[in-house]
Amino acid sequence: MKKLLTLALILSATLCVQAKKYKLALNLEVGKEYIQKSNAKMTITQNFNGMPIEIGMNIKGDYVFKVIGAENDQYDMEVKYRTVEMEMESAQGKSSFSSNKASEQDIMSTMLSRMIDKPFKMIMGQNGKVIEIKGIDNLFGGMFEGFDITQQQKDQILAQLKQSYGAKAFKGSFEQITAIYPEQKVKLGKKWTTETNIEAGMSVHVTTNFELKAANTEYFLLHGEGDLSSNPNSPFVKQNGMDMKILLDGNLTSDIKIDRKTGWIIDATIVQNLSGNTELKAGEQIPEGMSIPMTIKSKSVITN
């Protein structure tokens, strides 16, 4: 009889936990700073005239977000980069740059160092959606000071940096790990769908189906599976004197742990597999245009 009673109590408690609904959303405190560190590793393979060309990249960033106001389920935040690092490896060799290694001999690292501790503003909803980014061009002010390079070189470098660190790129990459919250309360095993766009050298729409996998007194654990699709009507952009656009489709998986009290990311891992083409527009250099097969495999790890 005691065993039956104990079993009944355990089953009852289990059912209560499963039936409980949780509010998943950001709950940040005005005046506090929240940290995010990211490490994205990717392998890019292009097939050029039947010859595969592989490039490995590793991009790291360390950011601080200070909440300076909160109103109408929105947060007014001041954002700063604390460190920026990038590595690239190909058949031609390996190169690395870091905002911590500025020197006269290392122009790229010096330019990255000039992005550090320059604040810009971001307004974000409790649902993790970025509503507005203001003043991010402040990052690039004075970047070329003291360098003897042509205006054409400056424009080219600046355009490439904005593709990686400009407003659209920041919004898309940031929302991949923040625009994750459901509109309603959810219970364990419940699924919901979110959508966002990535604009970082290519235009990609992301649809992710999330599931609440675990809940305890410290954190919530989410698992996501999604699809990425390019917009075939996206405009060509000029790179290295050529008009091009990248059209890639694929899938992703994500595992995200969020703080139960604040809703801020504790850690997250996102794996993406994309394939498609780099389209080169017909012009003087390539009269008939060109389509180059391309794949990207990436793994991003985010911590607080």
Side-chain angles (χ1 to χ4, degrees):
M1 189 65 165
K2 287 184 178 180
K3 288 183 179 179
L4 287 173
L5 180 59
T6 301
L7 180 59
L9 289 172
I10 292 173
L11 288 172
S12 177
T14 302
L15 289 171
C16 285
V17 170
Q18 290 178 338
K20 185 175 181 180
K21 290 187 175 183
Y22 304 95
K23 174 65 174 175
L24 277 60
L26 290 169
N27 184 31
L28 307 179
E29 189 174 331
V30 175
K32 281 201 170 184
E33 292 184 344
Y34 298 86
I35 307 300
Q36 188 180 103
K37 299 181 179 182
S38 66
N39 184 353
K41 295 182 179 180
M42 66 186 75
T43 301
I44 303 169
T45 305
Q46 291 181 308
N47 196 304
F48 192 78
N49 291 333
M51 180 180 294
I53 299 172
E54 187 172 289
I55 300 172
M57 296 188 71
N58 188 6
I59 301 173
K60 299 178 182 179
D62 187 349
Y63 324 85
V64 58
F65 300 79
K66 183 175 182 179
V67 182
I68 57 178
E71 188 177 4
N72 299 326
D73 297 330
Q74 296 180 1
Y75 297 104
D76 192 0
M77 310 181 84
E78 181 184 81
V79 186
K80 293 180 184 178
Y81 284 91
R82 299 201 302 187
T83 60
V84 179
E85 299 177 26
M86 58 177 69
E87 296 178 356
M88 184 167 64
E89 187 171 8
S90 67
Q92 284 70 45
K94 184 176 181 179
S95 56
S96 61
F97 312 100
S98 171
S99 58
N100 294 324
K101 297 180 180 179
S103 71
E104 291 182 5
Q105 293 73 36
D106 191 339
I107 293 177
M108 191 64 195
S109 290
T110 301
M111 287 192 293
L112 293 178
S113 74
R114 291 175 177 175
M115 294 169 57
I116 303 306
D117 289 328
K118 289 185 174 180
F120 60 93
K121 298 291 180 65
M122 179 174 73
I123 299 175
M124 183 169 62
Q126 278 193 312
N127 60 0
K129 284 280 189 180
V130 176
I131 298 165
E132 186 179 7
I133 293 176
K134 297 185 290 186
I136 199 167
D137 283 352
N138 182 44
L139 291 176
F140 312 113
M143 181 164 284
F144 304 108
E145 206 170 287
F147 296 138
D148 186 19
I149 57 177
T150 66
Q151 187 60 47
Q152 184 179 1
Q153 290 174 316
K154 291 178 182 179
D155 292 342
Q156 184 177 327
I157 293 170
L158 189 59
Q160 292 174 342
L161 285 171
K162 285 187 175 182
Q163 281 187 10
S164 299
Y165 301 101
K168 288 183 178 180
F170 186 88
K171 180 180 186 295
S173 60
F174 189 64
E175 281 192 341
Q176 271 200 288
I177 54 166
T178 61
I180 58 176
Y181 306 97
E183 295 181 1
Q184 308 294 331
K185 289 183 177 182
V186 294
K187 60 184 179 180
L188 288 176
K190 178 67 176 177
K191 296 182 179 180
W192 65 95
T193 301
T194 67
E195 296 186 20
T196 189
N197 293 297
I198 299 174
E199 301 282 349
M202 57 183 176
S203 179
V204 178
H205 184 75
V206 185
T207 303
T208 309
N209 298 308
F210 285 103
E211 179 181 356
L212 178 58
K213 301 291 288 186
N216 61 31
T217 57
E218 300 294 326
Y219 63 81
F220 296 113
L221 186 62
L222 314 182
H223 177 73
E225 296 185 6
D227 295 312
L228 302 94
S229 58
S230 293
N231 176 10
N233 297 318
S234 61
F236 286 88
V237 295
K238 192 171 288 294
Q239 290 190 13
N240 299 321
M242 293 184 291
D243 292 314
M244 65 175 65
K245 62 180 174 181
I246 300 172
L247 300 176
L248 298 173
D249 299 319
N251 58 69
L252 68 82
T253 60
S254 59
D255 291 287
I256 303 174
K257 184 188 290 184
I258 60 176
D259 186 280
R260 178 160 179 162
K261 180 180 178 182
T262 65
W264 194 252
I265 303 296
I266 297 174
D267 59 64
T269 301
I270 301 173
V271 177
Q272 296 182 155
N273 291 288
L274 299 163
S275 62
N277 298 292
T278 299
E279 302 290 342
L280 303 180
K281 190 176 182 180
E284 290 184 7
Q285 297 184 50
I286 308 175
E288 297 180 2
M290 184 179 289
S291 182
I292 304 171
M294 179 181 186
T295 64
I296 298 178
K297 297 182 179 181
S298 70
K299 180 179 180 180
S300 299
V301 177
I302 296 93
T303 64
N304 67 348

